[in-house]
Amino acid sequence: MRLLLLPLLLLLPSLGFAAAGIEAITVEPAGDGGQTYTLTIQVLILMTALSMLPAVLMLTTSFTRIIIVLALLRQALGTAQTPSNQILLGLALFLTFFIMSPVFNEVYDTALKPYLDEQVSAEQAFDAAQVPFREFMLAQTRDDDIALFARISGAEALNDAEDVPFSLLMPAFATSELKTAFQIGFLLFIPFLVIDLVVASVLMSMGMMMLSPLIISLPFKIMLFVLVDGWALILGTLATSFYVR
């Protein structure tokens, strides 16, 4: 239930307009005795925020690293569309919920619950919700990436992590996640690449140049992955990589 309520935090600045007396729907009597309904600008703001919600959630959580590593793993195995994109997305999504659960719980306790209980305003709840995400993102972001975007934006005078604005932290975090994901993917490719090279060399030495090495190497790669308990190893490593620093 908490996970379903957390996206509400991103809409708090928009919902704050309701407290100021702006109605989402205005009902007026029509000339024929009926009623007419007029949508206000608040609905447009809410719909715009909802359209941005998936991108914000993907780029401020562990989802980016996980889905890229899983996609590279599938390519390294050479299993084409197995597992399918839907399975990889679902696996990445639920693993993201598992990894981000401490952050989500802290956001719920410090921002969303007080706001729903009318203890704080929308702006205060939004500011409080940023703190756990900032701590998580700063722990995963390289200093070089922060310095890069600070130099591009002209805000190079950042003396402390608290001085990093959220608008600068988001692209720096996404860049760091891409780097880390491709580094993990490179390490995943090495053992499978060795198997491909060995199989190709054996086939060449036997004069079977017309036979695709992938047909022979695929069962060996799957067997190796199963013997080392690859899925548990990969998913466990991804989960711990966000907390071991």
Side-chain angles (χ1 to χ4, degrees):
M1 183 64 180
R2 294 185 178 185
L3 295 177
L4 297 176
L5 292 175
L6 285 174
L8 180 64
L9 285 172
L10 299 177
L11 305 179
L12 290 182
S14 302
L15 295 176
F17 288 111
I22 300 179
E23 299 178 351
I25 300 178
T26 303
V27 182
E28 298 179 354
D32 56 356
Q35 293 179 332
T36 59
Y37 301 90
T38 304
L39 299 178
T40 62
I41 192 64
Q42 183 185 11
V43 176
L44 178 61
I45 296 175
L46 291 175
M47 294 303 296
T48 303
L50 284 174
S51 65
M52 293 293 295
L53 184 60
V56 172
L57 288 178
M58 285 190 296
L59 294 180
T60 58
T61 62
S62 57
F63 182 84
T64 302
R65 182 189 305 186
I66 296 171
I67 192 61
I68 291 177
V69 170
L70 293 179
L72 291 176
L73 172 62
R74 183 178 63 181
Q75 188 172 358
L77 282 171
T79 54
Q81 295 299 316
T82 304
S84 64
N85 292 332
Q86 291 84 352
I87 294 177
L88 291 185
L89 287 171
L91 182 60
L93 186 61
F94 282 105
L95 187 58
T96 299
F97 287 154
F98 171 76
I99 294 171
M100 299 296 297
S101 58
V103 178
F104 290 157
N105 289 335
E106 186 176 353
V107 170
Y108 178 83
D109 294 334
T110 61
L112 184 57
K113 189 175 184 300
Y115 175 75
L116 296 178
D117 294 340
E118 299 183 355
Q119 297 177 357
V120 297
S121 63
E123 291 77 10
Q124 291 173 333
F126 186 73
D127 292 338
Q130 292 187 37
V131 176
F133 277 98
R134 283 179 58 89
E135 294 177 353
F136 172 81
M137 295 167 66
L138 284 171
Q140 311 300 325
T141 307
R142 293 176 173 84
D143 295 336
D144 295 341
D145 294 325
I146 296 179
L148 170 65
F149 286 96
R151 185 170 62 254
I152 294 174
S153 63
E156 298 185 35
L158 300 176
N159 300 322
D160 195 355
E162 300 297 331
D163 298 333
V164 180
F166 206 77
S167 59
L168 189 151
L169 180 59
M170 289 180 63
F173 172 75
T175 304
S176 293
E177 287 296 283
L178 290 174
K179 290 181 180 179
T180 304
F182 276 89
Q183 288 175 351
I184 298 175
F186 170 76
L187 296 177
L188 288 176
F189 261 91
I190 293 177
F192 301 116
L193 180 61
V194 172
I195 294 178
D196 287 333
L197 291 175
V198 171
V199 171
S201 300
V202 172
L203 292 178
M204 288 288 291
S205 64
M206 296 175 63
M208 304 174 67
M209 293 176 292
M210 300 302 294
L211 181 62
S212 174
L214 181 61
I215 300 177
I216 307 300
S217 63
L218 180 57
F220 289 98
K221 291 191 288 188
I222 294 178
M223 181 183 65
L224 173 65
F225 192 70
V226 172
L227 288 177
V228 299
D229 197 8
W231 287 113
L233 185 62
I234 295 299
L235 298 181
T237 302
L238 282 173
T240 56
S241 67
F242 287 94
Y243 296 102
V244 179
R245 282 290 179 270

